[in-house]
Amino acid sequence: MNLGKHIPNGITCLNLLSGGLAITASFDDNFDTALIFIIAAAVFDFLDGLAARILKAYSDTGKELDSLADVVSFGLAPSLILYNFLKGFDCVNPYICYVPLALAVFSALRLAKFNLDTRQSEQFLGLPTPASALFSASMATLAVHYPFTANPVLANNYAITITVCILSLLSISNIPMMSMKFKNLKWKDNAGRYVFLCTAAVAGSAIPVAGIHWSGAVFFIFSFYILWNIAALSISKLSDK
């Protein structure tokens, strides 16, 4: 029996487990732990693909399992993190608390689209679900540690609703989004990736040094990722005119 071919699927299962643990942590209002498990899920999501390439252990089962795990870890988990975050505020309409569940729906739509789209081998079209999840979870975690950012900026009927709508639409859009997959290490082929990673690393490191909670670094990196890609699209369109 070739155990090697099961390693990628085992790592994918760890992704799914991490998503489940993030959900349970969010219901205990432990948003730090929930964010840590979302980060762990993203790491496992990266490692299962890497293991599959190294071991040449591709399978249809692995592809489907990966999408199912991602729906939980990067769709349902961030939805419920935001749900439980909003439930903590008496000033928020109880029905508004259910709006973040749209992230789970649109994440599933995005993943189904990704599985059938042959154009996304070198870059993504639409916001990747891990980026959306890490942005959402870090936003809630950061706000918990800095109440002035949660009340009244986030603790209202509009901010999270608008954020969820934007993330949902970005996830199913055709906006080109940079992939972090390196096919080689040449500057010519990866200039954008290198610039982005260096900027994110410097700024992300500076945030904890400045005394801001570490979730601020995660929030900055993925806010920067979203804005970077939107700006790149705008510049590209302007240069084409």
Side-chain angles (χ1 to χ4, degrees):
M1 182 169 145
N2 184 3
L3 293 177
K5 69 179 183 179
H6 297 293
I7 290 176
N9 289 349
I11 297 173
T12 302
C13 289
L14 292 175
N15 168 4
L16 178 57
L17 177 61
S18 297
L21 290 171
I23 291 170
T24 59
S26 74
F27 276 96
D28 292 332
D29 292 332
N30 194 339
F31 296 102
D32 279 33
T33 301
L35 176 56
I36 288 171
F37 280 125
I38 295 290
I39 294 171
V43 172
F44 289 131
D45 185 50
F46 172 79
L47 291 178
D48 64 5
L50 180 63
R53 288 192 292 273
I54 292 173
L55 298 171
K56 295 182 172 56
Y58 300 103
S59 69
D60 291 336
T61 299
K63 181 179 179 181
E64 298 303 323
L65 180 62
D66 185 67
S67 293
L68 292 170
D70 287 355
V71 168
V72 174
S73 297
F74 308 130
L76 186 59
S79 294
L80 293 176
I81 287 171
L82 291 180
Y83 166 83
N84 285 302
F85 171 76
L86 289 174
K87 287 282 284 186
F89 298 100
D90 294 333
C91 57
V92 176
N93 186 311
Y95 294 105
I96 294 295
C97 296
Y98 294 99
V99 170
L101 295 178
L103 283 177
V105 175
F106 280 87
S107 293
L109 289 171
R110 184 204 149 55
L111 289 163
K113 175 184 174 183
F114 177 79
N115 285 348
L116 299 173
D117 195 339
T118 58
R119 300 172 296 167
Q120 301 192 51
S121 59
E122 295 188 3
Q123 65 178 2
F124 298 114
L125 292 177
L127 181 64
T129 53
S132 174
L134 287 162
F135 175 89
S136 303
S138 63
M139 177 175 63
T141 305
L142 184 63
V144 167
H145 286 277
Y146 297 93
F148 63 85
T149 64
N151 190 6
V153 177
L154 294 180
N156 58 62
N157 294 324
Y158 308 104
I160 297 295
T161 300
I162 293 171
T163 300
V164 167
C165 288
I166 292 172
L167 293 175
S168 297
L169 292 174
L170 284 175
S171 68
I172 60 169
S173 72
N174 285 319
I175 296 175
M177 295 275 180
M178 181 170 49
S179 167
M180 291 297 111
K181 294 178 181 177
F182 287 78
K183 291 190 175 180
N184 59 62
L185 299 178
K186 295 179 181 178
W187 170 265
K188 180 181 177 181
D189 297 330
N190 301 289
R193 293 183 180 91
Y194 284 130
V195 173
F196 171 80
L197 289 173
C198 288
T199 304
V202 171
S205 301
I207 287 173
V209 171
I212 300 173
H213 188 261
W214 61 268
S215 60
V218 181
F219 179 72
F220 169 81
I221 289 170
F222 289 96
S223 300
F224 181 46
Y225 175 81
I226 294 170
L227 294 174
W228 171 282
N229 286 286
I230 292 174
L233 177 64
S234 300
I235 293 170
S236 176
K237 286 190 173 182
L238 287 173
S239 63
D240 290 339
K241 291 183 178 179

